[in-house]
Amino acid sequence: MLVIGEKINTSRESIKKAVETKDSEFIRKVAREQKEGGAHYIDINCGTFIDNEPELMEWLVEEVQKEVDLPLCIDSPNPEAVRAGFEAHKNGKPMLNSISGEKERYDALAPLVKGYDCKVVLLTMDDTGIPTDAEKRFQVAKDVIADLKDGGVKEEDIYVDPLVQPISTDTTNGLSVLETIKKIHKEFDNVNTTCGLSNVSYGLPQRKLLNQTFMIMCMTEGLNGVILDPTDKKMMGLVTVSNSLLNKDPFCGQYLKAYRDGLLEI
Amino acid sequence: MLVIGEKINTSRESIKKAVETKDSEFIRKVAREQKEGGAHYIDINCGTFIDNEPELMEWLVEEVQKEVDLPLCIDSPNPEAVRAGFEAHKNGKPMLNSISGEKERYDALAPLVKGYDCKVVLLTMDDTGIPTDAEKRFQVAKDVIADLKDGGVKEEDIYVDPLVQPISTDTTNGLSVLETIKKIHKEFDNVNTTCGLSNVSYGLPQRKLLNQTFMIMCMTEGLNGVILDPTDKKMMGLVTVSNSLLNKDPFCGQYLKAYRDGLLEI
């Protein structure tokens, strides 16, 4: 299970302020805490700064890499910001978050994905929007995967994100995502899946309970990547618990270690 | 999701004592609390009383029905105790817990299942024991289902229990159960599944966390019955949350009601 830490995003007020004041200490602290929580990748998003996103992306990538030895997830639809992030990246293989089946976005970003040795998040949407049913989401992913593979991208570097939508607006929204994850893993031996979870609970009370439960459901269908807050002990504990129940933890070793470290909250 | 309340079982010390002293008040209280917690069936097990199980089963069934209007789950491998329970049963359709592919047990109990209008729990084991893999568990179930249907039993009255075993002794034990549940629902449109959960966590710390997570996983694969303690608010809350995410709760109505009633604990 690949955990992508979501916290360095300028849509969050504290990060926005830190970027504006070039508060390197704060950014590095947020990166360090995510690594300590168990993140494998650190997402970097400064998309709210439209005028100088590439320059700020470069700065963030450099600062974060001074603090942690993890690879980073360059989170932008702007090819210049992505290129700046990739060029500044040193810790292993960067990830692009994200491409989709939208023609303009794809045409702009696919050359970068094919040109760099990177991982990539693929959103299951195209120019008609986010399909409501799993079959169409799967088709969008399938077409893009075929083109990426033609361009030399390996299946294991692709992470399909089925785009979680709120069950409060349509109660089939959870099932569509679960079904898409299942289809991807059934059809492709080595393509990965990932998603952000919190959208599922939008508009409902006790959102954490829905997000936690939905993550377990997605993992049951094969989800092997997730974008979340790795400093959320409860959520990270549930990743460990789920791995153990799904036979991804030999001798329950990670489970027992997490217990000893006080990381399994009831 | 059919919830079977597990608490009236003489393997529990307080119930054993209440049966010995014919403490009708206590038994009725435990029945009432399970109904209030959301149980649809109340399980009755007095199997520790080998010498007079039929007589005690009759007494328990009568007492519980004085308190609650729920149907009961007659939990015994002893045909005489089952018959006594069925004969005393008045609240709708009783359930037998359980038959299996074990020849002696099946031959003794199948006539009762075929002769009464009842539901039945079918354990996926035969005279060779509990198969370790899902395919064999499924085959055991398939053979028994065929014979029950020949005898006039309807699919919708059958609840297959794939027999949860601890992941601490074999880390594939969780997956085997999930796979069996999936196969049953794929092969049979109307056969149900059920299981007890707590075995999965035997031998490990923080058992509740494993049991809760495993229930969510089983529901993701289609589990539509469960044997548990309905006074466990956290577990019952997770049933509600899971139903909502799996599109079994129109407009999230049950979810919102549970929230208003203070039944959704984080």
XYZ file of all heavy atoms in Angstrom, chain B residues 3-96:
743
model
N -29.036 -9.085 11.364
C -28.203 -9.134 12.567
C -28.767 -10.153 13.552
O -29.920 -10.050 13.987
C -28.129 -7.746 13.239
C -27.366 -7.831 14.552
C -27.486 -6.737 12.300
N -27.952 -11.152 13.879
C -28.343 -12.189 14.834
C -27.618 -11.915 16.150
O -26.387 -11.898 16.195
C -27.960 -13.589 14.306
C -28.582 -13.823 12.920
C -28.389 -14.669 15.291
C -27.988 -15.008 12.167
N -28.391 -11.667 17.193
C -27.806 -11.353 18.505
C -27.277 -12.608 19.170
O -28.000 -13.585 19.335
N -26.019 -12.579 19.589
C -25.317 -13.796 20.018
C -25.293 -14.019 21.526
O -24.745 -15.011 22.013
C -23.868 -13.733 19.525
C -23.031 -12.691 20.273
C -21.614 -12.508 19.748
O -21.252 -13.157 18.747
O -20.879 -11.700 20.345
N -25.896 -13.117 22.306
C -25.567 -13.087 23.734
C -26.209 -14.170 24.598
O -25.689 -14.471 25.669
C -25.909 -11.695 24.303
C -25.056 -10.599 23.668
C -25.270 -9.259 24.327
C -24.504 -9.165 25.642
N -24.536 -7.769 26.160
N -27.328 -14.742 24.144
C -27.947 -15.783 24.995
C -27.326 -17.136 24.655
O -27.816 -17.902 23.827
C -29.478 -15.775 24.848
C -30.019 -14.400 25.267
C -30.090 -16.884 25.704
C -31.526 -14.272 25.244
N -26.205 -17.400 25.321
C -25.408 -18.588 25.064
C -24.850 -19.038 26.412
O -24.162 -18.262 27.092
C -24.278 -18.234 24.078
C -23.518 -19.454 23.603
O -23.190 -20.341 24.391
N -23.237 -19.497 22.307
N -25.132 -20.265 26.780
C -24.730 -20.717 28.126
C -23.226 -20.946 28.257
O -22.758 -21.307 29.345
C -25.489 -21.997 28.536
O -25.263 -23.003 27.532
C -26.969 -21.730 28.702
N -22.475 -20.741 27.188
C -21.017 -20.739 27.366
C -20.580 -19.436 28.041
O -19.443 -19.307 28.479
C -20.297 -20.937 26.031
O -20.491 -19.817 25.204
N -21.483 -18.461 28.104
C -21.215 -17.238 28.865
C -21.686 -17.468 30.305
O -22.813 -17.913 30.533
C -21.947 -16.042 28.245
C -21.478 -15.757 26.800
C -22.278 -14.628 26.168
N -22.016 -13.359 26.825
C -22.938 -12.468 27.172
N -24.215 -12.723 26.925
N -22.607 -11.349 27.758
N -20.846 -17.127 31.256
C -21.083 -17.466 32.657
C -22.417 -16.899 33.181
O -23.171 -17.588 33.872
C -19.910 -16.968 33.503
C -19.827 -17.554 34.901
C -19.814 -19.081 34.911
O -19.151 -19.691 34.034
O -20.501 -19.668 35.777
N -22.712 -15.649 32.836
C -23.929 -15.013 33.370
C -25.188 -15.702 32.837
O -26.187 -15.819 33.555
C -23.953 -13.526 33.006
O -24.002 -13.362 31.594
N -25.143 -16.151 31.597
C -26.299 -16.836 31.015
C -26.431 -18.232 31.626
O -27.543 -18.682 31.961
C -26.162 -16.927 29.482
C -26.091 -15.522 28.845
C -27.304 -17.740 28.878
C -27.360 -14.699 28.950
N -25.313 -18.900 31.776
C -25.316 -20.243 32.393
C -25.990 -20.179 33.775
O -26.872 -20.983 34.090
C -23.863 -20.724 32.533
C -23.676 -22.043 33.282
C -22.241 -22.541 33.120
C -21.956 -23.760 33.985
N -21.541 -23.409 35.360
N -25.575 -19.195 34.547
C -26.116 -19.052 35.898
C -27.623 -18.752 35.847
O -28.415 -19.306 36.620
C -25.372 -17.908 36.613
C -25.368 -18.033 38.115
C -24.510 -16.946 38.728
C -25.222 -16.350 39.942
N -24.658 -15.060 40.352
N -27.996 -17.883 34.926
C -29.414 -17.515 34.806
C -30.264 -18.721 34.409
O -31.403 -18.873 34.875
C -29.582 -16.390 33.785
N -29.705 -19.586 33.570
C -30.452 -20.780 33.165
C -30.556 -21.757 34.345
O -31.621 -22.328 34.611
C -29.795 -21.448 31.934
C -30.389 -22.826 31.675
C -29.958 -20.559 30.699
N -29.459 -21.903 35.068
C -29.451 -22.815 36.222
C -30.465 -22.400 37.275
O -31.124 -23.228 37.890
C -28.046 -22.839 36.854
C -27.084 -23.768 36.134
C -25.628 -23.583 36.600
O -25.340 -22.607 37.328
O -24.795 -24.412 36.201
N -30.605 -21.106 37.477
C -31.511 -20.615 38.522
C -32.871 -20.222 37.946
O -33.682 -19.645 38.647
C -30.886 -19.380 39.223
O -30.668 -18.363 38.230
C -29.574 -19.739 39.890
N -33.052 -20.509 36.654
C -34.283 -20.125 35.948
C -34.621 -18.648 36.197
O -35.749 -18.294 36.554
C -35.458 -21.024 36.381
C -35.321 -22.488 35.937
C -35.698 -22.689 34.484
C -35.300 -24.036 33.916
N -36.223 -25.121 34.231
N -33.598 -17.826 36.021
C -33.748 -16.382 36.222
C -34.325 -15.764 34.938
O -33.618 -15.194 34.110
C -32.381 -15.781 36.564
C -32.454 -14.278 36.854
O -33.527 -13.667 36.627
O -31.436 -13.712 37.284
N -35.618 -15.878 34.827
C -36.319 -15.420 33.642
C -36.086 -13.932 33.385
O -35.894 -13.501 32.251
C -37.810 -15.712 33.811
O -38.550 -15.042 32.848
N -36.084 -13.139 34.462
C -35.895 -11.687 34.323
C -34.603 -11.342 33.598
O -34.567 -10.482 32.715
C -35.871 -11.019 35.707
C -37.235 -10.680 36.252
C -38.100 -9.939 35.236
O -37.708 -8.825 34.832
O -39.147 -10.480 34.826
N -33.518 -12.022 34.003
C -32.215 -11.717 33.400
C -32.183 -12.090 31.919
O -31.731 -11.322 31.076
C -31.094 -12.453 34.160
C -29.727 -12.132 33.637
C -29.085 -10.952 33.988
C -29.075 -13.004 32.769
C -27.828 -10.644 33.484
C -27.816 -12.702 32.253
C -27.192 -11.519 32.617
N -32.692 -13.286 31.625
C -32.727 -13.731 30.227
C -33.530 -12.745 29.373
O -33.122 -12.365 28.275
C -33.353 -15.139 30.137
C -32.481 -16.177 30.868
C -33.606 -15.551 28.687
C -31.130 -16.423 30.232
N -34.666 -12.339 29.908
C -35.517 -11.424 29.149
C -34.856 -10.067 28.948
O -34.996 -9.447 27.893
C -36.878 -11.282 29.850
C -37.703 -12.569 29.725
C -38.899 -12.587 30.638
N -39.905 -11.612 30.222
C -41.179 -11.658 30.602
N -41.611 -12.664 31.371
N -42.027 -10.750 30.201
N -34.098 -9.637 29.953
C -33.366 -8.369 29.846
C -32.316 -8.449 28.724
O -32.174 -7.530 27.899
C -32.687 -8.061 31.182
C -31.812 -6.820 31.192
C -31.377 -6.499 32.633
C -30.231 -5.505 32.677
N -28.922 -6.090 32.354
N -31.586 -9.569 28.673
C -30.548 -9.718 27.637
C -31.192 -9.770 26.245
O -30.660 -9.228 25.277
C -29.690 -10.972 27.904
C -28.688 -11.196 26.774
C -28.966 -10.852 29.244
N -32.365 -10.384 26.169
C -33.087 -10.414 24.889
C -33.533 -9.010 24.493
O -33.353 -8.572 23.354
C -34.296 -11.345 24.994
N -34.102 -8.289 25.447
C -34.631 -6.949 25.176
C -33.521 -5.999 24.718
O -33.682 -5.257 23.743
C -35.307 -6.401 26.438
C -36.050 -5.089 26.238
C -36.801 -4.689 27.501
N -35.918 -4.398 28.615
C -35.827 -5.098 29.747
N -36.596 -6.173 29.935
N -34.986 -4.754 30.709
N -32.387 -6.047 25.418
C -31.279 -5.158 25.075
C -30.755 -5.431 23.657
O -30.345 -4.514 22.950
C -30.139 -5.312 26.088
C -30.476 -4.670 27.422
C -29.487 -5.023 28.520
O -28.629 -5.904 28.293
O -29.592 -4.439 29.608
N -30.777 -6.694 23.263
C -30.313 -7.022 21.910
C -31.300 -6.498 20.863
O -30.908 -6.004 19.813
C -30.116 -8.535 21.764
C -28.948 -9.051 22.594
C -28.701 -10.536 22.349
O -27.886 -10.920 21.535
N -29.441 -11.374 23.065
N -32.585 -6.617 21.170
C -33.567 -6.059 20.239
C -33.386 -4.542 20.128
O -33.373 -3.986 19.028
C -34.992 -6.384 20.690
C -36.014 -5.818 19.719
C -37.445 -5.968 20.140
C -38.306 -5.169 19.145
N -39.727 -5.268 19.412
N -33.232 -3.892 21.295
C -33.051 -2.429 21.291
C -31.798 -2.010 20.523
O -31.754 -0.956 19.907
C -33.005 -1.900 22.722
C -34.377 -1.923 23.395
C -34.306 -1.758 24.918
O -33.183 -1.662 25.464
O -35.372 -1.752 25.554
N -30.774 -2.887 20.556
C -29.531 -2.604 19.840
C -29.670 -2.759 18.339
O -28.817 -2.289 17.581
N -30.730 -3.441 17.894
C -30.948 -3.565 16.453
C -30.952 -4.992 15.915
O -30.914 -5.186 14.695
N -30.995 -6.002 16.805
C -31.003 -7.394 16.337
C -32.293 -7.708 15.584
O -33.356 -7.163 15.898
C -30.863 -8.352 17.520
N -32.178 -8.572 14.563
C -33.352 -9.064 13.843
C -33.724 -10.478 14.291
O -34.873 -10.887 14.165
C -33.081 -9.072 12.344
C -32.659 -7.746 11.809
N -31.377 -7.469 11.416
C -33.369 -6.599 11.644
C -31.312 -6.205 11.006
N -32.499 -5.660 11.139
N -32.752 -11.234 14.727
C -32.951 -12.571 15.297
C -32.195 -12.629 16.619
O -31.175 -11.964 16.790
C -32.388 -13.660 14.359
C -33.396 -14.219 13.387
C -33.760 -13.503 12.255
C -34.000 -15.463 13.601
C -34.694 -14.003 11.355
C -34.934 -15.980 12.710
C -35.277 -15.248 11.592
O -36.208 -15.759 10.717
N -32.719 -13.428 17.561
C -31.994 -13.662 18.816
C -31.541 -15.124 18.829
O -32.379 -16.037 18.748
C -32.907 -13.408 20.047
C -33.544 -12.012 19.998
C -32.140 -13.653 21.342
C -32.646 -10.883 20.379
N -30.252 -15.337 18.931
C -29.710 -16.683 19.002
C -29.914 -17.256 20.408
O -29.762 -16.553 21.407
C -28.211 -16.658 18.667
C -27.647 -18.038 18.394
O -27.746 -18.491 17.228
O -27.103 -18.669 19.324
N -30.287 -18.554 20.443
C -30.472 -19.239 21.728
C -29.600 -20.485 21.728
O -29.808 -21.402 20.924
C -31.941 -19.687 21.935
C -32.940 -18.545 21.639
C -32.136 -20.273 23.333
C -33.034 -17.499 22.690
N -28.634 -20.524 22.632
C -27.730 -21.659 22.710
C -27.578 -22.091 24.166
O -27.104 -21.320 25.006
C -26.363 -21.252 22.129
C -25.381 -22.409 22.089
O -25.315 -23.217 23.015
N -24.611 -22.482 21.013
N -27.999 -23.334 24.450
C -27.797 -23.870 25.811
C -27.066 -25.202 25.718
O -27.327 -26.141 26.478
C -29.111 -23.973 26.577
S -30.412 -24.864 25.694
N -26.137 -25.259 24.785
C -25.434 -26.494 24.474
C -24.534 -27.013 25.579
O -24.131 -28.183 25.545
N -24.208 -26.168 26.548
C -23.351 -26.662 27.633
C -24.129 -27.573 28.582
O -23.538 -28.300 29.372
C -22.741 -25.497 28.458
O -23.820 -24.720 29.006
C -21.872 -24.602 27.583
N -25.451 -27.532 28.493
C -26.276 -28.420 29.332
C -26.607 -29.689 28.544
O -27.686 -29.806 27.943
C -27.561 -27.705 29.780
C -27.312 -26.577 30.732
C -27.130 -25.291 30.264
C -27.237 -26.817 32.101
C -26.888 -24.241 31.147
C -27.005 -25.769 32.994
C -26.821 -24.474 32.508
N -25.663 -30.612 28.533
C -25.798 -31.792 27.673
C -26.995 -32.653 28.076
O -27.711 -33.197 27.236
C -24.500 -32.630 27.723
C -23.333 -31.783 27.171
C -24.636 -33.908 26.909
C -21.981 -32.403 27.384
N -27.230 -32.773 29.381
C -28.242 -33.728 29.854
C -29.679 -33.282 29.599
O -30.563 -34.117 29.390
C -28.060 -33.977 31.363
C -26.733 -34.666 31.631
O -26.215 -35.325 30.703
O -26.219 -34.530 32.753
N -29.943 -31.990 29.667
C -31.333 -31.542 29.496
C -31.470 -30.362 28.529
O -32.256 -29.446 28.743
C -31.968 -31.195 30.857
C -31.139 -30.193 31.636
O -29.973 -29.956 31.322
N -31.742 -29.599 32.652
N -30.679 -30.408 27.461
C -30.686 -29.308 26.491
C -32.075 -29.072 25.873
O -32.518 -27.921 25.786
C -29.629 -29.565 25.394
C -29.424 -28.365 24.465
C -28.487 -28.668 23.283
O -27.914 -29.771 23.237
O -28.373 -27.798 22.402
N -32.790 -30.135 25.438
C -34.110 -29.877 24.813
C -35.073 -29.143 25.749
O -35.736 -28.171 25.346
C -34.630 -31.286 24.484
C -33.398 -32.119 24.350
C -32.442 -31.567 25.372
N -35.101 -29.559 26.973
C -36.011 -28.960 27.952
C -35.651 -27.494 28.231
O -36.511 -26.607 28.300
C -35.891 -29.811 29.235
C -36.541 -29.287 30.479
C -35.906 -29.998 31.696
O -35.560 -31.205 31.583
O -35.760 -29.347 32.737
N -34.331 -27.231 28.330
C -33.895 -25.853 28.574
C -34.091 -24.980 27.334
O -34.408 -23.795 27.447
C -32.424 -25.826 29.021
C -32.178 -26.465 30.384
C -30.687 -26.502 30.710
C -32.944 -25.723 31.493
N -33.896 -25.575 26.164
C -34.138 -24.820 24.925
C -35.597 -24.365 24.882
O -35.883 -23.194 24.574
C -33.812 -25.701 23.706
C -34.015 -25.022 22.362
S -32.960 -23.582 22.084
C -31.436 -24.374 21.532
N -36.508 -25.279 25.210
C -37.934 -24.928 25.208
C -38.213 -23.780 26.182
O -38.903 -22.813 25.847
C -38.767 -26.162 25.603
C -40.264 -25.915 25.542
C -41.059 -27.135 26.035
O -40.433 -28.188 26.310
O -42.284 -27.014 26.157
N -37.623 -23.893 27.385
C -37.834 -22.852 28.396
C -37.316 -21.494 27.904
O -38.005 -20.472 27.980
C -37.155 -23.253 29.718
C -37.315 -22.210 30.787
C -38.437 -21.945 31.517
C -36.314 -21.268 31.215
N -38.214 -20.901 32.386
C -36.914 -20.467 32.216
C -34.995 -21.028 30.866
C -36.227 -19.450 32.876
C -34.307 -20.014 31.516
C -34.919 -19.231 32.503
N -36.085 -21.496 27.360
C -35.485 -20.239 26.883
C -36.307 -19.617 25.750
O -36.561 -18.406 25.735
C -34.046 -20.485 26.400
C -32.984 -20.591 27.498
C -31.687 -21.192 26.953
C -32.706 -19.217 28.124
N -36.715 -20.446 24.812
C -37.501 -19.936 23.673
C -38.796 -19.298 24.178
O -39.193 -18.211 23.724
C -37.778 -21.070 22.660
C -38.843 -20.669 21.646
C -36.476 -21.465 21.945
N -39.432 -19.956 25.138
C -40.682 -19.395 25.675
C -40.448 -18.078 26.417
O -41.173 -17.101 26.232
C -41.358 -20.417 26.590
C -42.040 -21.509 25.779
C -42.554 -22.668 26.637
O -42.253 -22.685 27.858
O -43.236 -23.544 26.078
N -39.430 -18.059 27.249
C -39.164 -16.847 28.034
C -38.805 -15.664 27.127
O -39.300 -14.557 27.311
C -38.030 -17.088 29.044
C -38.391 -18.055 30.162
C -39.678 -17.666 30.875
O -39.828 -16.483 31.242
O -40.552 -18.551 31.038
N -37.922 -15.907 26.164
C -37.481 -14.818 25.292
C -38.659 -14.268 24.493
O -38.799 -13.054 24.303
C -36.333 -15.289 24.368
C -36.043 -14.257 23.277
C -35.071 -15.558 25.184
N -39.546 -15.151 24.067
C -40.697 -14.695 23.279
C -41.729 -13.951 24.115
O -42.579 -13.245 23.571
C -41.363 -15.891 22.575
C -40.518 -16.427 21.428
C -41.192 -17.586 20.721
O -41.465 -17.530 19.539
N -41.454 -18.642 21.471
N -41.655 -14.114 25.442
C -42.534 -13.313 26.288
C -42.077 -11.856 26.285
O -42.847 -10.936 26.537
C -42.507 -13.842 27.728
C -43.281 -15.143 27.927
C -43.171 -15.618 29.372
C -43.694 -17.039 29.514
N -43.278 -17.650 30.800
N -40.770 -11.654 25.999
C -40.201 -10.311 26.102
C -40.123 -9.593 24.760
O -40.380 -8.392 24.670
C -38.790 -10.401 26.711
C -38.146 -9.063 27.004
C -38.862 -8.286 28.119
O -39.415 -8.926 29.028
O -38.875 -7.040 28.048
N -39.694 -10.313 23.735
C -39.492 -9.659 22.426
C -40.291 -10.379 21.353
O -40.554 -11.578 21.446
C -37.989 -9.635 22.007
C -37.150 -8.866 23.012
C -37.446 -11.038 21.802
N -40.646 -9.619 20.321
C -41.441 -10.197 19.230
C -40.558 -10.629 18.055
O -41.057 -10.830 16.947
C -42.496 -9.181 18.764
C -41.872 -7.850 18.372
O -40.621 -7.747 18.416
O -42.617 -6.919 18.027
N -39.259 -10.774 18.306
C -38.350 -11.186 17.232
C -38.365 -12.702 17.054
O -38.589 -13.443 18.011
C -36.913 -10.763 17.563
C -36.629 -9.276 17.685
C -35.164 -9.057 18.070
C -36.946 -8.561 16.383
N -38.082 -13.178 15.838
C -37.877 -14.613 15.648
C -36.534 -15.031 16.269
O -35.665 -14.202 16.485
C -37.857 -14.772 14.129
C -37.454 -13.438 13.608
C -37.947 -12.414 14.593
N -36.400 -16.324 16.516
C -35.211 -16.804 17.228
C -34.396 -17.753 16.358
O -34.906 -18.379 15.421
C -35.632 -17.517 18.520
C -36.618 -16.749 19.411
C -36.881 -17.536 20.699
C -36.099 -15.363 19.746
N -33.129 -17.838 16.725
C -32.189 -18.684 16.030
C -31.855 -19.836 16.979
O -31.201 -19.611 18.009
C -30.957 -17.831 15.712
S -29.768 -18.614 14.691
N -32.339 -21.028 16.645
C -32.169 -22.190 17.530
C -30.791 -22.782 17.259
O -30.549 -23.383 16.216
C -33.272 -23.240 17.269
C -34.671 -22.579 17.260
C -33.189 -24.372 18.278
C -35.056 -21.901 18.548
N -29.900 -22.599 18.240
C -28.470 -22.852 18.020
C -28.060 -24.145 18.718
O -27.686 -24.142 19.895
C -27.685 -21.643 18.554
C -26.210 -21.713 18.211
O -25.751 -22.736 17.679
O -25.512 -20.720 18.489
N -28.117 -25.231 17.948
C -27.758 -26.536 18.531
C -27.562 -27.556 17.424
O -28.223 -27.490 16.388
C -28.885 -27.016 19.459
O -28.634 -28.346 19.861
N -26.652 -28.514 17.645
C -26.512 -29.626 16.701
C -27.387 -30.809 17.121
O -27.405 -31.835 16.444
C -25.029 -29.986 16.824
C -24.680 -29.627 18.223
C -25.621 -28.539 18.691
N -28.076 -30.697 18.236
C -28.874 -31.788 18.808
C -30.307 -31.732 18.252
O -31.068 -30.797 18.541
C -28.874 -31.621 20.342
C -29.777 -32.636 21.027
O -30.609 -33.288 20.400
N -29.610 -32.747 22.340
N -30.701 -32.732 17.457
C -32.031 -32.687 16.813
C -33.179 -32.549 17.812
O -34.178 -31.889 17.509
C -32.130 -34.027 16.087
C -30.753 -34.570 16.033
C -29.957 -33.950 17.131
N -33.035 -33.142 18.989
C -34.120 -33.050 19.969
C -34.250 -31.634 20.520
O -35.367 -31.136 20.745
C -33.906 -34.050 21.107
C -34.098 -35.505 20.675
C -35.325 -35.676 19.761
O -36.423 -35.205 20.124
O -35.160 -36.238 18.650
N -33.105 -30.992 20.730
C -33.146 -29.600 21.203
C -33.711 -28.694 20.108
O -34.493 -27.775 20.386
C -31.741 -29.139 21.602
N -33.324 -28.960 18.870
C -33.826 -28.143 17.757
C -35.340 -28.304 17.636
O -36.082 -27.318 17.521
C -33.128 -28.536 16.430
C -33.775 -27.817 15.248
C -31.635 -28.236 16.502
N -35.790 -29.566 17.712
C -37.226 -29.808 17.599
C -37.990 -29.102 18.720
O -39.029 -28.467 18.490
C -37.519 -31.312 17.630
C -38.993 -31.662 17.365
C -39.264 -33.156 17.507
N -38.437 -33.953 16.616
C -38.733 -34.205 15.332
N -39.843 -33.722 14.818
N -37.930 -34.937 14.601
N -37.444 -29.193 19.940
C -38.094 -28.535 21.082
C -38.164 -27.021 20.860
O -39.183 -26.382 21.138
C -37.321 -28.853 22.364
N -37.082 -26.467 20.328
C -37.056 -25.026 20.063
C -38.053 -24.644 18.988
O -38.808 -23.669 19.134
N -38.077 -25.402 17.913
C -39.013 -25.123 16.804
C -40.457 -25.216 17.294
O -41.307 -24.386 16.937
C -38.787 -26.116 15.661
C -37.669 -25.739 14.718
C -36.825 -24.665 14.982
C -37.451 -26.471 13.557
C -35.794 -24.324 14.109
C -36.432 -26.132 12.668
C -35.600 -25.057 12.952
N -40.748 -26.234 18.086
C -42.137 -26.447 18.541
C -42.610 -25.308 19.441
O -43.785 -24.935 19.418
C -42.256 -27.785 19.290
C -42.157 -29.021 18.394
C -43.356 -29.161 17.441
O -44.465 -28.720 17.812
O -43.164 -29.691 16.326
N -41.666 -24.750 20.210
C -42.044 -23.664 21.135
C -42.032 -22.307 20.451
O -42.443 -21.305 21.035
C -41.079 -23.657 22.324
N -41.562 -22.259 19.206
C -41.353 -20.987 18.518
C -42.657 -20.430 17.946
O -43.404 -21.135 17.274
C -40.342 -21.192 17.383
C -39.801 -19.908 16.818
N -40.447 -19.196 15.845
C -38.690 -19.193 17.126
C -39.748 -18.113 15.567
N -38.675 -18.083 16.325
N -42.922 -19.158 18.198
C -44.164 -18.550 17.713
C -43.946 -17.305 16.854
O -44.796 -16.950 16.040
C -45.030 -18.134 18.908
C -45.467 -19.297 19.796
C -46.494 -18.834 20.825
C -46.740 -19.891 21.886
N -45.845 -19.722 23.063
N -42.784 -16.603 17.049
C -42.579 -15.292 16.404
C -42.072 -15.407 14.971
O -40.909 -15.156 14.688
C -41.577 -14.458 17.199
C -42.079 -14.100 18.582
O -43.266 -14.246 18.870
N -41.185 -13.656 19.436
N -42.919 -15.761 14.043
C -42.483 -15.808 12.647
C -41.683 -17.054 12.344
O -41.957 -18.135 12.871
N -40.653 -16.894 11.502
C -39.907 -18.035 10.981
C -38.625 -18.265 11.787
O -37.746 -17.411 11.802
C -39.541 -17.739 9.519
C -39.020 -18.924 8.749
C -38.626 -18.519 7.336
C -39.846 -18.448 6.421
N -39.456 -18.474 4.975
N -38.508 -19.421 12.458
C -37.273 -19.657 13.218
C -36.103 -19.936 12.285
O -36.291 -20.197 11.099
C -37.603 -20.907 14.040
C -38.602 -21.647 13.216
C -39.411 -20.585 12.494
N -34.916 -19.862 12.852
C -33.693 -20.177 12.099
C -32.967 -21.295 12.840
O -32.954 -21.318 14.074
C -32.807 -18.933 12.031
C -31.504 -19.128 11.278
S -30.513 -17.600 11.268
C -31.005 -16.868 9.730
N -32.400 -22.235 12.091
C -31.566 -23.270 12.708
C -30.106 -22.891 12.521
O -29.649 -22.616 11.409
C -31.824 -24.632 12.060
C -30.790 -25.718 12.403
C -30.702 -25.973 13.899
C -31.107 -27.002 11.643
